């Protein structure tokens, strides 16, 4: 039996990333722009195979060939006829789906390796009997020989990503240690070269170290072009070592990225977008991060576009040294239907703000709509999909030009949805209703949270000239009945004053506003909810919050007594507040599951929401706002930290519940993404079912014209570097 940590369960959640509604509402030009950007992303996403493990490109090619010759159902019939059990074939399908979803054989979250959950012999039997093998026996056998050993190997060094001796990495040749990585960083810094789009290969000749710093670019060393990078592509003596900067890494893939960015340019919505793409084209052609930074500056200036995207060597989590970026590219589109509801909410904001439980003086003089767009992801190529993004990562640009905060609506919606069988910690009788209303209640909560949550409330400030933004004589603190005694001065801000507690506290305030205002009939009307449906949405929204408070325990670290996720901490705090309200509103019970292991059930008495829940929430929300408005750091911290504390005190025993939550945590879901293709003047969106077979099919149709050529390129690129990872 393989350690379950290194295999994916056969019933892993696999969901369609539904983008149909948002996509259909795009104009023809917007669709074309989104289509060509998506193509650029998908080609670039293949780079991740080369950035993950030496064997990943061959595994990808093997699986793709198998399914190109036979679709998942046909290959399944063959497996059955060979005597493989349904479980064994499903295990292979899940493995294949996960290779595509992670773009390699290491999990994008956690960086651990995963292997097929069937024996090597069984898989070999299937490969040998497959149509792909019948058609091309020599090639398939060679492919198998190249990757089968490492595909199944769980030698300690291969179990996770890491530098030489401790793990696998293709950002470095296998002989590089952390000292080599440090030395290379010093060299790169000395030459003002960014590490983001590089890899490092070390060779030793005549006792002398030679390091190759290879830049990702279409152009190779012998291109006699006089571009920004030409001066840097050469040999440098650095201390006693030689550093040779070369370029052309991933060239055939980046060529296709550039080609599609050019096509996208023709359909850009404005000059800023076109300029942005021009910089990206330069960046990928020349290997210039400077050009990528220029593109990022344009990207920040392109505020609130209908089609949003970002592409390049972005996140450095998977470089063991933390400075090389993994390729990612995404295209997301504004959900115009959802945006219309949010716009109606903004239009009603002035009235709704009066409903909030604090005096008018604690509200801003005029409502300022916070910068918020919820986007639905059309394409997210790379190793994994986050639910929200805050980029660019270039610190210098964040300081001077800023950044963008993007919430990915359809990713979030799926991340919190689940099949009934896997719905943890709810009473049996709540499950159907929860599944039915989770989506609509989530929409209401997100809208209220972002617009009226983060958008509400005033900070009392005395500026440098001594002037106040409130009437000291008139404003009374509703908590104390006295005048305002503390406020922000000069350059002080919410974040600088409340520092480490600021972000979670603010998320908690926004979540509370959502729970509180969802009780309002007018709000529900804006979301087209009436009568029983409206009542159900209120109930499920509140129930979901208390369940989330329990799930939050996953993000608490007892060793350091700290929380790792602002939103989840906020939900735990709300659960505590509602438990404290008493009156039978929330009940939290330790139970034993059908499997004999510890379990828990959280429930909410819907008849008590108005009488018990609302006043408790009202009181807490007012406290949060008053302490925030008055810059009362001591009071705010004391309140928030008290509710954030996780102890094993009776009756809840949260520390034990944390073990239960970890025990029953669902494996991270895989997403099935759509394909787009041009037909005449129109762009067609094709979606696939949310299953391992659906995910495999989406990749089967992803590169309809050049799948084989791409695989040849990937294999050739991996082969050229094989000597660097050879044992
Ligand atoms: Zn928020």
């Amino acid at each position: 039996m393989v350690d379950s940590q290194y295999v994916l369960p056969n019933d892993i959640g696999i969901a369609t990333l539904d983008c149909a509604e948002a996509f259909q509402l795009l104009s023809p030009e917007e669709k074309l722009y989104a289509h060509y950007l998506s193509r650029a992303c998908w080609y670039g996403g293949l780079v991740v195979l080369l950035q993950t493990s030496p064997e990943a490109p061959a595994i990808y090619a093997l699986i793709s060939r198998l399914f190109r010759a036979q679709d998942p159902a046909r290959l399944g019939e063959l497996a059955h006829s060979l005597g493989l059990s349904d479980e064994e074939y499903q295990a292979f399908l899940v493995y294949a789906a996960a290779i595509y979803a992670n773009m390699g054989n290491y999990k994008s979250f956690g960086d651990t390796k995963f292997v097929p959950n069937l024996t090597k012999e069984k898989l070999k039997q299937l490969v040998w009997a497959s149509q792909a093998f019948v058609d091309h026996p020599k090639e398939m056998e060679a492919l198998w020989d190249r990757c089968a050993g490492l595909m199944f190997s769980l030698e300690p060094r291969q179990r996770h990503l890491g530098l030489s001796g401790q793990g696998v990495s293709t950002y470095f040749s296998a002989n590089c240690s952390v000292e080599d990585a440090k030395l290379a960083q010093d060299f790169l810094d000395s030459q003002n070269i960014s590490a983001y789009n590089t890899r490092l290969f070390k060779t030793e000749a005549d006792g002398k170290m030679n390091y190759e710093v290879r830049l990702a670019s279409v152009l190779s060393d012998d291109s006699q072009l006089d571009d920004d990078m030409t001066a840097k592509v050469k040999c440098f003596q650095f201390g006693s070592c030689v550093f040779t900067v070369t370029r052309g890494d991933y060239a055939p893939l980046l060529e296709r990225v550039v080609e599609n960015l050019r096509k996208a340019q023709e359909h850009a919505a404005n000059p800023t977008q076109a300029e942005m793409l021009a910089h990206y084209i330069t960046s990928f052609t020349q290997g210039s991060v400077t050009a990528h930074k220029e593109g990022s500056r344009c990207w920040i200036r392109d505020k609130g576009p209908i089609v949003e995207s970002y592409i390049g060597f972005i996140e450095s989590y998977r470089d063991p040294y933390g400075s090389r970026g993994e390729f990612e590219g995404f295209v997301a589109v504004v959900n115009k239907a959802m945006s219309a509801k949010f716009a109606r909410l903004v239009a009603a904001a002035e009235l709704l703000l009066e409903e909030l439980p604090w005096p008018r003086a604690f509200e801003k003089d005029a409502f300022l709509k916070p910068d918020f767009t919820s986007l639905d992801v059309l394409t997210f190529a790379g190793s994994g999909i986050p639910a929200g993004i805050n980029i660019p990562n270039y610190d210098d640009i964040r300081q001077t030009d800023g950044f963008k905060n993007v919430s990915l609506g359809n990713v979030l919606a799926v991340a919190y949805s689940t099949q009934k069988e896997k719905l943890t910690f709810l009473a049996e009788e709540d499950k159907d209703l929860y599944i039915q209303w989770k989506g609509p209640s989530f929409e209401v909560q997100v809208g209220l949270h972002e617009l009226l949550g983060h958008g509400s409330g005033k900070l009392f400030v005395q500026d440098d000239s001594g002037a106040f933004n409130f009437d000291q004589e008139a404003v009374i603190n509703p908590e104390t009945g006295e005048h305002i005694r503390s406020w922000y001065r000069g350059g002080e801000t919410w974040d600088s004053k409340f520092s480490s507690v600021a972000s979670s506290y603010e998320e908690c305030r926004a979540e509370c506003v959502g729970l509180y205002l969802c009780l309002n009939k007018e709000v529900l009307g804006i979301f087209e909810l009436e009568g029983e449906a409206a009542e159900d949405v209120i109930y499920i929204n509140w129930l979901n919050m208390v369940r989330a408070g329990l799930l939050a325990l996953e993000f608490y670290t007892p060793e350091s007594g700290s929380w790792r996720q602002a939103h989840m901490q906020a939900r735990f705090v709300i659960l505590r507040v509602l438990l404290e309200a008493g009156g039978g509103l929330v009940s939290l019970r330790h139970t034993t599951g059908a499997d004999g292991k510890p379990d828990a059930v959280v429930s909410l008495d819907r008849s008590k929401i108005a009488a018990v829940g609302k006043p408790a929430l009202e009181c807490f929300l007012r406290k949060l706002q008053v302490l925030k408005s008055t810059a009362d750091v001591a009071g705010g911290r004391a309140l928030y930290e008290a509710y954030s504390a996780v102890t094993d005190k009776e009756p809840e025993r949260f520390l034990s519940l944390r073990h239960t939550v970890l025990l029953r945590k669902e494996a991270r879901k895989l997403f099935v993404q759509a394909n787009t293709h041009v037909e005449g003047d129109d762009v067609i969106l094709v979606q696939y079912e949310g299953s391992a077979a659906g995910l495999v099919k989406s990749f089967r149709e992803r590169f309809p014209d050049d799948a084989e050529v791409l695989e040849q390129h990937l294999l050739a690129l991996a082969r050229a570097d094989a000597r660097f990872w050879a044992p």
Side-chain angles (χ1 to χ4, degrees):
M1 255 299 271
V2 185
D3 186 337
S4 65
Q5 208 187 327
Y6 304 105
V7 294
L8 298 162
N10 269 2
D11 65 346
I12 189 169
I14 302 183
T16 302
L17 197 55
D18 184 3
C19 188
E21 182 185 51
F23 188 81
Q24 296 320 337
L25 293 172
L26 295 180
S27 73
E29 277 297 288
E30 289 162 352
K31 283 183 183 172
L32 283 163
Y33 182 67
H35 166 73
Y36 287 114
L37 282 178
S38 290
R39 297 311 300 159
C41 292
W42 286 123
Y43 284 115
L46 297 173
V47 166
V48 176
L49 292 164
L50 296 157
Q51 291 182 307
T52 301
S53 69
E55 67 276 16
I59 295 175
Y60 172 88
L62 181 83
I63 286 170
S64 300
R65 282 178 165 231
L66 281 175
F67 288 112
R68 205 160 41 249
Q70 274 161 306
D71 72 17
R74 298 279 292 282
L75 196 65
E77 285 163 23
L78 176 67
H80 190 75
S81 74
L82 294 168
L84 269 76
S85 69
D86 291 350
E87 285 70 32
E88 285 167 327
Y89 183 64
Q90 178 65 16
F92 175 60
L93 264 189
V94 164
Y95 178 76
I99 290 290
Y100 289 132
N102 292 281
M103 264 299 133
N105 55 340
Y106 287 76
K107 289 183 204 167
S108 66
F109 292 90
D111 293 343
T112 49
K113 186 171 184 172
F114 56 93
V115 301
N117 197 15
L118 74 165
T119 65
K120 199 200 270 188
E121 291 64 37
K122 288 266 172 75
L123 182 55
K124 185 173 179 179
Q125 204 188 343
L126 180 63
V127 171
W128 256 247
S130 69
Q131 189 60 43
F133 195 93
V134 171
D135 296 342
H136 302 282
K138 279 214 187 77
E139 285 95 324
M140 287 300 282
E141 187 171 351
L143 257 185
W144 175 265
D145 289 344
R146 257 178 90 166
C147 68
L150 285 169
M151 190 195 297
F152 284 90
S153 165
L154 280 175
E155 270 183 50
R157 202 170 52 81
Q158 274 146 8
R159 289 180 192 165
H160 41 80
L161 299 177
L163 272 170
S164 82
Q166 288 142 43
V168 165
S169 176
T170 47
Y171 287 105
F172 298 88
S173 54
N175 57 358
C176 283
S177 64
V178 70
E179 280 69 33
D180 294 305
K182 275 194 193 117
L183 182 70
Q185 191 63 52
D186 291 343
F187 162 74
L188 292 167
D189 292 344
S190 77
Q191 291 302 323
N192 204 13
I193 299 173
S194 165
Y196 269 112
N197 62 344
T198 68
R199 296 201 285 170
L200 186 70
F201 302 89
K202 180 170 90 169
T203 46
E204 210 179 325
D206 307 326
K208 225 179 168 186
M209 291 303 170
N210 192 324
Y211 294 91
E212 179 193 357
V213 173
R214 200 187 293 164
L215 309 179
S217 67
V218 175
L219 293 179
S220 57
D221 294 342
D222 41 25
S223 325
Q224 293 297 324
L225 266 171
D226 190 24
D227 63 69
D228 296 350
M229 296 306 288
T230 310
K232 298 199 164 159
V233 182
K234 60 175 187 189
C235 284
F236 296 83
Q237 188 71 38
F238 187 71
S240 59
C241 308
V242 175
F243 275 84
T244 311
V245 178
T246 65
R247 57 181 172 181
D249 214 3
Y250 326 120
L253 300 173
L254 293 177
E255 225 169 84
R256 287 164 168 80
V257 172
V258 166
E259 188 188 314
N260 282 282
L261 291 179
R262 285 222 168 84
K263 289 182 184 160
Q265 241 179 342
E266 294 167 22
H267 307 282
N270 56 53
T272 309
Q273 275 179 3
E275 189 192 338
M276 168 184 87
L277 296 184
H279 289 302
Y280 292 159
I281 289 167
T282 304
S283 172
F284 300 135
T285 304
Q286 305 181 358
S288 161
V289 170
T290 311
H292 197 267
K293 286 185 174 180
E294 285 309 312
S296 300
R297 291 202 167 91
C298 296
W299 182 69
I300 293 162
R301 283 206 306 275
D302 185 26
K303 293 224 186 315
I306 301 294
V307 178
E308 182 65 284
S309 70
Y310 199 58
I311 185 167
F313 296 87
I314 315 295
E315 299 292 350
S316 54
Y317 310 126
R318 292 182 106 195
D319 166 11
Y321 191 69
S323 61
R324 286 155 189 81
E326 185 173 68
F327 195 96
E328 81 178 36
F330 77 83
V331 183
V333 301
V334 167
N335 186 328
K336 291 179 183 174
M338 180 124 156
S339 301
K341 288 177 194 164
F342 285 5
R344 291 207 294 274
L345 203 54
V346 170
E350 300 284 350
L351 281 174
L352 293 171
L353 288 172
E354 285 175 18
E355 300 293 315
L356 290 170
W358 47 76
R360 181 67 186 88
F362 283 69
E363 199 45 72
K364 291 189 192 73
D365 303 331
F367 177 66
L368 291 173
K369 180 184 172 288
D371 186 22
F372 169 74
T373 22
S374 177
L375 303 172
D376 283 352
V377 171
L378 167 65
T379 298
F380 208 117
S383 67
I385 312 181
I389 31 188
N390 187 302
I391 36 183
N393 289 330
Y394 305 121
D395 283 329
D396 45 342
I397 296 188
R398 292 175 73 91
Q399 292 294 331
T400 53
D401 303 66
F403 53 86
K404 277 193 201 175
N405 218 333
V406 179
S407 174
L408 303 175
N410 58 347
V411 178
L412 270 171
V414 170
Y416 291 106
S417 73
T418 193
Q419 299 147 270
K420 192 175 175 187
E421 312 78 65
K422 290 193 198 157
L423 200 46
T424 51
F425 311 129
L426 287 183
E428 217 43 57
E429 62 270 22
D430 278 333
K431 290 183 178 173
D432 287 326
L433 205 64
Y434 182 91
I435 286 167
Q436 185 184 354
W437 292 107
K438 181 67 203 34
S441 78
F442 181 73
E443 214 172 272
V444 173
Q445 179 68 14
V446 169
L448 291 171
H449 172 116
E450 299 292 349
L451 298 170
L452 298 166
H454 292 313
S456 65
K458 173 173 179 166
L459 303 184
F460 296 134
V461 181
Q462 181 180 25
D463 68 19
D464 287 327
S465 72
F468 289 92
N469 73 342
F470 64 101
D471 185 346
Q472 269 187 295
E473 299 298 311
V475 181
I476 298 293
N477 179 331
E479 294 288 316
T480 61
E482 295 169 7
H483 286 107
I484 304 300
R485 293 193 169 157
S486 56
W487 51 83
Y488 298 83
R489 287 162 210 271
E492 287 177 346
T493 64
W494 160 249
D495 283 317
S496 72
K497 277 297 258 191
F498 282 71
S499 63
S500 62
V501 79
S503 68
S504 182
Y505 186 113
E506 174 59 10
E507 291 309 333
C508 186
R509 201 181 63 84
E511 286 288 61
C512 286
V513 168
L515 279 191
Y516 189 74
L517 285 182
C518 84
L519 303 172
N520 185 293
K521 292 274 175 301
E522 240 161 294
V523 167
L524 293 163
I526 286 172
F527 287 88
E528 292 151 19
L529 296 160
E530 286 173 355
E532 204 181 327
E535 293 302 319
D536 285 343
V537 161
I538 292 173
Y539 175 57
I540 295 307
N541 197 29
W542 279 61
L543 180 65
N544 182 54
M545 187 62 73
V546 292
R547 176 172 180 257
L550 179 59
L551 296 178
L553 288 164
E554 179 191 338
F555 300 91
Y556 176 77
T557 308
E559 291 73 22
S560 56
S562 59
W563 285 90
R564 305 188 305 276
Q565 221 290 337
H567 297 83
M568 296 311 271
Q569 178 182 357
R571 290 161 192 153
F572 177 76
V573 165
I574 294 172
L575 168 64
R576 293 276 314 273
V577 169
L578 297 180
L579 276 165
E580 194 189 74
L585 175 68
V586 178
S587 91
L588 183 54
R589 288 180 295 120
H590 290 253
T591 60
T592 304
D595 54 5
K597 293 177 186 162
D599 205 343
V601 176
V602 64
S603 55
L604 181 77
D605 184 340
R606 65 192 293 169
S607 71
K608 306 256 167 72
I609 292 176
V612 181
K614 189 180 178 191
L617 192 70
E618 181 171 319
C619 171
F620 182 64
L621 181 54
R622 179 163 45 235
K623 277 198 188 115
L624 288 178
Q625 184 56 51
V626 168
L627 294 165
K628 181 182 175 185
S629 289
T630 58
D632 185 347
V633 183
R637 263 189 183 282
L639 175 77
Y640 201 69
E641 284 170 359
Y643 280 110
S644 301
V646 179
T647 71
D648 232 354
K649 263 200 274 195
E650 295 282 358
E652 291 90 4
R653 290 189 288 124
F654 283 116
L655 277 176
S656 332
L657 279 175
R658 178 178 163 274
H659 287 291
T660 308
V661 169
L662 290 176
L663 176 77
R664 301 197 176 273
K665 173 175 103 164
E666 197 188 334
R668 204 167 252 278
K669 284 196 188 64
L670 308 181
F671 290 103
V672 184
Q673 300 186 50
N675 285 318
T676 52
H677 59 262
V678 179
E679 241 178 68
D681 300 332
D682 207 6
V683 180
I684 310 293
L685 179 86
V686 185
Q687 297 206 129
Y688 302 85
E689 68 165 29
S691 67
L695 208 160
V696 167
K697 275 189 204 147
S698 72
F699 267 87
R700 197 172 181 249
E701 295 171 14
R702 186 135 291 149
F703 303 106
D705 308 320
D706 50 3
E708 210 155 313
V709 183
L710 286 168
E711 287 155 27
Q712 295 303 347
H713 282 307
L714 282 165
L715 292 170
L717 289 167
R719 188 179 292 116
D721 289 329
R723 64 194 164 103
F724 290 116
W725 341 109

